[in-house]
Amino acid sequence: MHIDILTLFPEMFPGYLNESILKRAQAAGLLHVSLHNLRDYASGKHRVTDEPPYGGGGGMVLKPGPIFAAVESLLLRLRSGQASNLQSQNEKRLEIGDWRLPLILLTPQGRPFTQQVAQELTQHDRLLLLCGRYEGVDERVRQHLVTDEISIGDFVLTGGELAAMVLVDAVARLLPGVLGAEDAAEEDSHATGLLEGPHYTRPETFRNWSVPEVLRSGHAANIARWRREQALRRTWQRRPNLLLTAELSEADRWFLGKLAQEASER
Ligand code: ADE
């Protein structure tokens, strides 16, 4: 997957993207990230990218010109084969001429980012992310350029850069080959519709606290059932609304009934 990030602060990204799993994913050619500085597309001697809002009020608003120029320049380069990784031509979303790519604005007003949205985004082979700043972006960018808007939570950051990194991280680890088999994403919290249960590692006893017996038993079926019940218990305690949409077996429902029974007796 190729991800283009349009931002006023490209220097914020390398520290996070060039470590650990994302670093390996890029080295293996599974993930490509290109950073584009919006300031490079601003005109005039001072390369102004933001202005005060019409109608007054505080803050600054990102001007449409540099954003349109950055996106159009990228699309032109893609079309003429200058931008790297051209297999993404198959995936066309943003329509400028005959080009279509998803252009996602990171904003607190966007649709909530979830594991399901991350999964959905893996279907594209190229994504453009636009990081908002200050009070936001000129509405014409939203109306005539952006194809999707995503929020990473009901709080306001100083800009979309951290949100873009969150999105890149969550999407990249779902790409085939990025995680090894041993830390595969299938059992993650949220991937199964439930929160994950507890994990333990060595030592077997730490400060008198021991690892649950079942995990040391070597009995695969018992371990699987225990983990499932722990996940159900944790979800029931912390995020009961998730149980309304999770896929539950007869045994799961029986166990949840038992939890409810226990709670009513307390
Ligand atoms: N920019 C500022 N706050 C944000 C949020 N919560 N999600 C995405 N982008 C943002």
Side-chain angles (χ1 to χ4, degrees), residues 5-181:
I5 302 177
L6 290 83
T7 168
L8 278 175
F9 300 100
E11 303 80 18
M12 288 181 174
F13 291 84
Y16 191 78
L17 297 180
N18 296 336
E19 291 287 348
S20 186
I21 289 173
L22 297 186
K23 177 183 180 177
R24 265 196 279 137
Q26 291 174 91
L30 301 169
L31 172 70
H32 305 264
V33 180
S34 305
L35 296 161
H36 307 275
N37 192 337
L38 288 171
R39 194 166 300 283
D40 294 341
Y41 298 89
S43 53
K45 195 168 105 201
H46 299 294
R47 295 192 173 275
V48 175
T49 52
D50 57 321
E51 300 266 14
Y54 272 105
M60 299 291 268
V61 176
L62 291 184
K63 290 159 66 70
I67 298 173
F68 273 81
V71 172
E72 285 165 353
S73 158
L74 177 62
L75 293 181
L76 280 174
R77 273 179 289 143
L78 283 173
R79 192 153 38 177
S80 66
Q82 286 171 23
S84 53
N85 191 16
L86 266 184
Q87 74 252 39
S88 43
Q89 267 184 343
N90 308 331
E91 182 64 47
K92 296 179 178 173
R93 295 304 301 284
L94 180 70
E95 287 186 69
I96 289 188
D98 56 356
W99 265 94
R100 294 166 76 221
L101 285 168
L103 172 58
I104 303 170
L105 173 66
L106 283 313
T107 163
Q109 298 153 40
R111 63 183 174 129
F113 190 56
T114 60
Q115 192 65 23
Q116 204 179 341
V117 174
Q119 195 74 58
E120 170 200 317
L121 295 178
T122 63
Q123 304 308 309
H124 302 289
D125 58 17
R126 191 159 199 136
L127 299 176
L128 273 57
L129 306 183
L130 172 60
C131 304
R133 272 269 140 190
Y134 315 119
E135 282 306 296
V137 302
D138 187 284
E139 187 64 15
R140 289 161 290 190
V141 171
R142 277 208 161 90
Q143 287 173 334
H144 305 295
L145 199 61
V146 160
T147 64
D148 195 359
E149 298 180 37
I150 289 180
S151 163
I152 63 159
D154 290 341
F155 42 80
V156 182
L157 303 164
T158 55
E161 284 76 9
L162 269 177
M165 281 188 256
V166 166
L167 188 152
V168 170
D169 189 293
V171 171
R173 64 192 291 287
L174 295 176
L175 299 174
V178 168
L179 295 186

Side-chain angles (χ1 to χ4, degrees), residues 187 189 192 194-200 212-215 222-239 243 251-252 255-256 258-259 262:
E187 294 294 319
S189 287
T192 59
L194 299 176
L195 302 183
E196 260 189 291
H199 299 288
Y200 292 89
E213 182 63 41
V214 59
L215 294 179
N222 286 355
I223 292 173
R225 190 64 224 156
W226 182 85
R227 286 196 168 134
R228 182 73 184 174
E229 289 181 354
Q230 293 294 315
L232 288 163
R233 182 187 293 275
R234 194 158 274 190
T235 309
W236 187 74
Q237 286 168 339
R238 300 182 183 187
R239 300 284 301 278
L243 294 170
D252 293 340
F255 183 73
L256 289 168
K258 203 174 85 165
L259 290 180
E262 275 171 23

